[in-house]
Amino acid sequence: MATTEMADTRIGRRRDRDRGQTAIEFVGVTPLIILLLVALWQCALFGYTFILAGNAADVAARAGNGARFDDRAACRQAAREDLPGAWRPADDDITCDGWTEPGLYRAKVDLDVPVLIPGVLDWGPTVTGEAASAKEG
């Protein structure tokens, strides 16, 4: 029994020495976890902006193709139609080339990538979506 009591005493001392270790490790790792989550969110915003730019260019090319007399206003309006407010491009960011190539109507949309909260800050990198629509009939 004496050896069992001594072993329990040693284990008890070891536990007392390690008290608070988990709290210190948690405090040290928490900023890294938060930084990783922020980086993942920013990557998701970058990807979502890429998807929005491609879709807006595709819709704009189809609208420009269907419009009469190379109507660039219809192309620009169609590009803005489905975009959320934080990603609304200026007129300079939408290029409707019209019929530069025989049988193709080309459109290009440039969107700024937001930082963390869409609509508050624009990061600076620009994502470009390009599309072409073939003339039918």
Side-chain angles (χ1 to χ4, degrees):
M1 287 285 220
T3 55
T4 309
E5 289 176 12
M6 285 179 58
D8 288 344
T9 306
R10 273 191 233 135
I11 291 172
R13 277 190 233 144
R14 192 175 304 143
R15 279 193 202 134
D16 289 341
R17 233 181 339 171
D18 291 341
R19 186 169 289 169
Q21 181 70 28
T22 305
I24 297 298
E25 288 175 1
F26 179 74
V27 168
V29 172
T30 300
L32 296 174
I33 292 171
I34 291 171
L35 185 64
L36 177 66
L37 291 174
V38 166
L40 288 174
W41 175 247
Q42 190 61 49
C43 288
L45 285 175
F46 200 94
Y48 186 57
T49 305
F50 183 76
I51 290 168
L52 288 175
N55 183 54
D58 188 43
V59 169
R62 279 186 279 139
N65 188 6
R68 292 181 169 211
F69 307 115
D70 191 25
D71 187 9
R72 292 173 197 248
C75 174
R76 286 192 173 108
Q77 181 182 0
R80 281 193 196 90
E81 193 170 300
D82 294 330
L83 290 175
W87 281 272
R88 295 276 178 191
D91 279 341
D92 297 345
D93 296 332
I94 302 171
T95 307
C96 298
D97 287 337
W99 304 105
T100 55
E101 293 179 42
L104 283 180
Y105 190 94
R106 292 194 173 276
K108 183 172 94 171
V109 178
D110 297 326
L111 297 178
D112 293 330
V113 178
V115 179
L116 298 179
I117 304 170
V120 176
L121 292 173
D122 288 334
W123 185 13
T126 301
V127 172
T128 301
E130 295 184 47
S133 179
K135 183 70 173 172
E136 294 182 16

